[in-house]
Amino acid sequence: MFELIRSNKRRSVALVACFMLFIALIGAAIGALVGNGIAFTLVALAFSASVAFYSYWRADKIALKISRAEPASEIEYQRLHNIVEGLCIAAGLPKPGVYVIHDPAPNAFATGRNPEHAAIAVTSGLLEKLNRVELEGVVAHELGHIKNYDILVSTLAVTMVGAVALLADGAIRLMWWNGGRVSRSGDRSNGTNPLAFAGFALLILSPLIAKAMQAAISRRRETLADVTACQLTRYPPGLISALEKLKEDTTVTHSASMATAHLWIEQPMSGVGDNGKLGGIHKMFDTHPPLDERIALLREL
């Protein structure tokens, strides 16, 4: 378990570095299109460093605001606070901020930069549909993300995925405003320029690549958080029952967005994880392993 946590920390650093490098590549692609590659690459590097720095301090608040999370009153949500406090004692963690999202879909997520600056948010649907033992399993899962230091890279990804999409969208709009020309030096000189074609292809594909990187962040970490939750509660059937209820419930989490999808305990968006004609394509961008696989693994425990 401790080796997995150390591995998580190393992966977190690598994934943040990959995001910054990818944003720099987008800058180089814009430069190849407009004829000033070095300048745009340096600007993109500075932009990615700024995004990473700002995200480190503010991304958790951004994620909570995007999800319309509100601080949970200790009087109105006494059961939830009691569960969080008890599990924090068992895990040796400081109590995180506790938030509630008014959404009928049962779901939850954790965010923050470290255990001392973390928050857990649960939907009103989760509080209504789960009993105490099941809710304890879900809260333990989210505390597992905090204990395993998953939350930093997952929270950073919220803003970094958005930054990639923003840069790509802005560059493509700039091309259209420029009459569709790929460079100020003229279409003829760039008509056979492989860098220009490669840059345009990268801009088109960059949102998909960012989504694939976002999916890579979450999938293995969900399984590790499930196992950590069972260590904290000493009762795998509680989390198993909770995941089974989440699987049966088909309500879309309206408070979720594509930028925050990887944070939630289960896939929150509609149209993913299905077995229809586009099921194979959707699985490429699923931010979570299938619930069936997670339940089967927990049954082995």
Side-chain angles (χ1 to χ4, degrees):
M1 177 63 71
F2 292 110
E3 176 56 35
L4 286 173
I5 293 173
R6 284 193 292 269
S7 176
N8 253 7
K9 292 180 179 179
R10 291 193 295 269
R11 277 199 195 87
S12 295
V13 174
L15 283 165
V16 171
C18 285
F19 264 113
M20 294 180 66
L21 177 61
F22 187 50
I23 291 175
L25 286 174
I26 293 175
I30 297 172
L33 291 171
V34 301
N36 200 345
I38 296 177
F40 274 95
T41 302
L42 293 176
V43 169
L45 275 173
F47 176 73
S48 64
S50 299
V51 169
F53 179 79
Y54 180 80
S55 299
Y56 180 81
W57 297 102
R58 301 290 298 179
D60 56 335
K61 294 178 176 59
I62 293 173
L64 291 168
K65 191 173 184 62
I66 290 174
S67 305
R68 299 190 291 275
E70 300 175 357
S73 165
E74 292 194 21
I75 298 175
E76 185 178 357
Y77 299 101
Q78 184 177 9
R79 181 183 71 159
L80 175 62
H81 279 276
N82 288 343
I83 289 173
V84 172
E85 289 168 359
L87 289 171
C88 283
I89 293 172
L93 293 171
K95 183 183 176 182
V98 182
Y99 290 79
V100 170
I101 301 166
H102 297 288
D103 192 307
N107 222 323
F109 69 82
T111 185
R113 62 180 183 269
N114 54 41
E116 288 72 32
H117 302 87
I120 290 177
V122 301
T123 63
S124 55
L126 189 83
L127 297 175
E128 293 170 2
K129 296 175 183 178
L130 301 191
N131 60 38
R132 184 182 180 89
V133 174
E134 294 164 345
L135 182 60
E136 189 176 60
V138 170
V139 171
H141 171 98
E142 299 307 333
L143 287 176
H145 282 306
I146 296 173
K147 186 178 180 66
N148 299 336
Y149 286 83
D150 294 335
I151 53 173
L152 175 58
V153 69
S154 298
T155 303
L156 288 175
V158 173
T159 51
M160 288 188 167
V161 170
V164 170
L166 183 65
L167 276 176
D169 182 68
I172 292 172
R173 289 177 184 273
L174 180 63
M175 287 181 59
W176 283 111
W177 291 339
N178 198 35
R181 290 173 292 177
V182 295
S183 171
R184 288 187 295 243
S185 59
D187 294 340
R188 182 177 299 178
S189 62
N190 286 281
T192 58
N193 185 352
L195 288 177
F197 283 114
F200 184 71
L202 179 60
L203 291 177
I204 295 296
L205 295 175
S206 58
L208 298 179
I209 297 172
K211 284 299 299 176
M213 293 173 69
Q214 183 188 31
I217 288 173
S218 182
R219 292 177 67 88
R220 186 172 180 180
R221 295 164 195 262
E222 290 300 319
T223 302
L224 179 58
D226 286 342
V227 175
T228 304
C230 294
Q231 289 184 330
L232 293 179
T233 63
R234 299 287 191 264
Y235 191 67
L239 181 56
I240 290 172
S241 179
L243 293 180
E244 287 176 338
K245 283 189 176 180
L246 295 180
K247 178 185 172 184
E248 293 170 1
D249 191 281
T250 57
T251 312
V252 176
T253 307
H254 295 291
S255 300
S257 67
M258 295 302 289
T260 63
H262 62 286
L263 293 176
W264 300 82
I265 188 173
E266 72 146 341
Q267 194 81 42
M269 311 298 288
S270 61
V272 290
D274 57 29
N275 296 316
K277 293 181 180 179
L278 297 179
I281 297 175
H282 287 150
K283 286 181 180 179
M284 293 173 60
F285 301 103
D286 275 358
T287 54
H288 295 62
L291 284 174
D292 286 334
E293 291 182 9
R294 294 167 63 183
I295 292 170
L297 175 63
L298 290 174
R299 288 192 185 283
E300 293 180 8
L301 299 177

